[in-house]
Amino acid sequence: MKSAVETLNPTRVRLTVEVPFEELKDSLDAAYKKINQQVTVKGFRKGKIPARVIDQRFGRGAVLEEAVNDALPKFYTEAVNEAELNVLGQPEVDITELKDNETLNFTAEVDIRPAIEIPDYSGIEVEVDAVEVSDEDVDKAVEELRERFASTSPVERAAEDGDVVTIDLEAKVDGEVLEDGVASGVSYTIGSGELLEGIDEAVKGLEAGGEATFTSELKGGSAAGKESEVTVKVTQVAARELPALDDDFAQLASEFDTLDEVKADSRKRLENMKQYDQATQAQERVLEKLLELVEVPVPEKLLADEIETRKHNLVNHQLGQMGLDLAKYLEIQGKTEEEFDAETKEQAEKGIKTQFVLDELVNKEKLNVNQEELTEHLMRRAQSSGMSPDQFAQAVVEGGQVPMLVGEVARGKALAVVVEAATVKDTNGEVVDLDDEEEETAAAEGEQTEASDSVEEKAEKTEA
């Protein structure tokens, strides 16, 4: 077999392959054997039909077609390996010449990973938000804790903001009560915004036994997005009572003995959260700077596939679960379809470029992933997916996704290397020390898992 490579553009090549006919022998033998098992010829036992009889009865062309279909993936893979190509996705194969007992010639066009030159990134400088926790922040956190320990008691008066009302609901569309539009004994805090638009105005001022009707757009269910006439009946009004902010509350709501200790702990928690946000922000901005430094051509088909996958996941999974279609989603977001398409393309392109650049950094820096790092990453992914670690691990193994997870961890480590080399300052001009490697890795992985289909998955689909 002889092969040659022609570069069509930085992300696509054409392979020209010439195969001497004798190298098709194994595939021809397999073709005759397969046809033998599928057909019957009077006078011959099944599986024992001579090749010449198969040629006469069914045509040599059918045998050649079967043999070529069997042989193409093998010869294509040999040509790819010989040229040391890093291919992406399925090739477009064209048989240019097939002469019986002489030769098989074909071409295969396929996308490849572009060659990327990683420049010196040690000069990258970014600015991030300073970690500052005010007394107001602490007071707000303590107040939220206090809200969680509020009690309620029924009152005989009209409902007010902040009250908890028990209500019955009935929704009609075009005068007909919806099958899934009736609910009884619903508990609702006035002002929380957790139910239908307009319900706060409807129930305020009503006492137990009071009833009101209002119009609202349904958020979910069989008539999601439609205008509905909603009747609400208040069956109970209860006032919320907040515990006093004192040491007794501290002992009730926490493991601490005093309110001062609760406030100190809240401050520390807020500082940790802001430090994590700061580390994430640093990595996002360092990555943006890194991508600006590198020229990364993106394969057109890979980009088109990624855009289509993102749209499919949004429409069929995320929006479908909320009872929305794309048109309604765009209306809520205040975007045109053109703006949505441009935004999706930009996000998909960034995701692909990020993987290409960080994968190249993994190779350049000779980064490896150990079992402990992989296990930690698997635990995080399991938690975010809502599955147990064992369930997630089983799904990963059965789906052949272990290499994908390894790639995510490796890219996280690659970004951590760049962040460590960069200069990060906060808005106060202070240099930020980002030593927490685990946080760096976790945040970097978040950038990688944004793409719905990894480049690795596409790279594995190399059979013709």
Side-chain angles (χ1 to χ4, degrees), residues 8 20 35 37-38 61 70 75 96 159 173 189 195 212 241 301 320 346 375 380 394 407 440:
L8 303 178
I35 294 173
Q37 298 300 322
Q38 295 174 338
D70 176 74
F75 292 124
T96 56
V173 173
T189 301
L195 281 178
E241 298 176 1
K301 188 175 186 307
E346 181 181 354
T375 300
R380 285 194 294 267
Q394 183 177 354
E440 291 176 2

Side-chain angles (χ1 to χ4, degrees), residues 182-203:
V182 178
S184 301
V186 177
S187 181
Y188 175 67
T189 301
I190 300 176
S192 66
E194 294 175 353
L195 281 178
L196 299 168
E197 186 175 343
I199 194 170
D200 288 339
E201 292 76 7
V203 297

Side-chain angles (χ1 to χ4, degrees), residues 414-442:
L415 182 53
V417 169
V418 182
V419 172
E420 185 178 354
T423 300
V424 181
K425 293 183 179 180
D426 65 20
T427 48
N428 294 328
E430 298 292 329
V431 174
V432 177
D433 185 13
L434 298 171
D435 286 333
D436 194 330
E437 183 178 345
E438 181 178 11
E439 286 185 352
E440 291 176 2
T441 302

Side-chain angles (χ1 to χ4, degrees), residues 159 165-172 181 183 190 196-216 228-235:
V165 290
T166 304
I167 54 178
D168 297 336
L169 294 166
E170 181 183 84
K172 294 180 180 179
I190 300 176
L196 299 168
E197 186 175 343
I199 194 170
D200 288 339
E201 292 76 7
V203 297
K204 277 194 294 186
L206 295 181
E207 297 184 18
E211 188 175 299
T213 299
F214 63 100
T215 301
S216 182
S228 173
E229 183 182 85
V230 183
T231 300
V232 55
K233 181 179 180 180
V234 176
T235 59

Side-chain angles (χ1 to χ4, degrees), residues 42-306:
K42 189 175 181 180
F44 296 96
R45 286 182 295 164
K46 194 174 185 66
K48 299 296 184 179
I49 307 169
R52 60 179 176 77
V53 176
I54 290 178
D55 289 346
Q56 292 169 357
R57 290 293 186 92
F58 306 102
R60 174 71 166 176
V63 179
L64 288 175
E65 181 180 357
E66 181 67 39
V68 168
N69 287 339
D70 176 74
L72 276 178
K74 180 184 71 172
F75 292 124
Y76 166 72
T77 301
E78 286 181 9
V80 166
N81 293 338
E82 186 178 286
E84 298 181 344
L85 298 175
N86 198 338
V87 299
L88 299 168
Q90 299 279 16
E92 295 179 7
V93 177
D94 181 28
I95 298 174
T96 56
E97 186 175 24
L98 175 59
K99 289 185 178 180
D100 197 1
N101 292 314
E102 291 187 29
T103 187
L104 164 66
N105 297 336
F106 68 91
T107 61
E109 289 190 16
V110 66
D111 287 332
I112 60 171
R113 277 180 178 261
I116 298 174
E117 188 67 34
I118 303 294
D120 179 16
Y121 47 79
S122 60
I124 290 179
E125 294 186 12
V126 297
E127 183 180 74
V128 296
D129 296 335
V131 174
E132 296 174 343
V133 178
S134 66
D135 291 342
E136 289 77 11
D137 293 331
V138 175
D139 290 342
K140 182 180 178 182
V142 173
E143 189 63 27
E144 289 173 354
L145 180 63
R146 187 185 181 203
E147 290 278 350
R148 285 160 49 191
F149 284 85
S151 59
T152 59
S153 56
V155 292
E156 295 183 2
R157 59 165 172 78
E160 302 172 354
D161 270 326
D163 285 345
V164 178
V165 290
T166 304
I167 54 178
D168 297 336
L169 294 166
E170 181 183 84
K172 294 180 180 179
V173 173
D174 298 329
E176 297 290 330
V177 178
L178 300 171
E179 288 186 11
D180 55 355
V182 178
S184 301
V186 177
S187 181
Y188 175 67
T189 301
I190 300 176
S192 66
E194 294 175 353
L195 281 178
L196 299 168
E197 186 175 343
I199 194 170
D200 288 339
E201 292 76 7
V203 297
K204 277 194 294 186
L206 295 181
E207 297 184 18
E211 188 175 299
T213 299
F214 63 100
T215 301
S216 182
E217 183 179 297
L218 298 178
K219 295 181 179 179
S222 61
K226 293 184 178 180
E227 287 291 320
S228 173
E229 183 182 85
V230 183
T231 300
V232 55
K233 181 179 180 180
V234 176
T235 59
Q236 179 180 277
V237 179
R240 298 178 74 250
E241 298 176 1
L242 297 174
L245 279 177
D246 52 23
D247 292 346
D248 288 340
F249 166 69
Q251 294 164 23
L252 169 70
S254 72
E255 69 271 30
F256 301 107
D257 294 325
T258 68
L259 183 61
D260 286 342
E261 288 176 309
V262 170
K263 290 183 176 181
D265 181 66
S266 295
R267 184 179 296 276
K268 183 62 178 176
R269 290 175 184 271
L270 290 170
E271 287 175 350
N272 289 340
M273 289 172 59
K274 286 180 177 286
Q275 285 170 352
Y276 181 84
D277 290 343
Q278 186 188 64
T280 302
Q281 189 180 65
Q283 289 149 55
E284 290 172 350
R285 294 184 178 180
V286 167
L287 178 60
E288 293 283 354
K289 291 280 190 180
L290 178 63
L291 294 180
E292 290 174 7
L293 294 175
V294 187
E295 185 68 29
V296 186
V298 175
E300 291 182 9
K301 188 175 186 307
L302 182 63
L303 178 59
D305 289 346
E306 181 61 28

